[in-house]
Amino acid sequence: MSDDRKDLSPAAQRALAEAEERRRKAETEAKALPKELGGRDGPDPARYGDWEKKGIAIDF
C-alpha cells in the first residue's frame, strides 16, 4: 500500500480497493468481447446521446 493511502480511513481504503477490482473486471470483460468488424475508430460516437460523423453532431 502506498504512503498516501495509509492516511485514509479503513472505509476509504476498502472503497479504493473495490474500485480497483471493478476496473480490473471491466478490462477483463472488454478484452473478452469479439472485435467489431467495420466499426468506427475511437470512442463510441453515441456516448453522449448524439451521433457525430465528420464533425456534424446529430441528436437522437
Side-chain angles (χ1 to χ4, degrees), residues 13-43:
Q13 292 175 0
R14 277 193 313 274
L16 288 171
E18 290 171 6
E20 182 61 33
E21 181 61 31
R22 282 193 303 269
R23 278 189 220 102
R24 264 191 250 116
K25 184 178 177 184
E27 288 175 5
T28 303
E29 289 174 357
K31 289 178 184 177
L33 294 174
K35 181 143 176 80
E36 182 178 353
L37 300 176
R40 294 174 52 110
D41 294 335

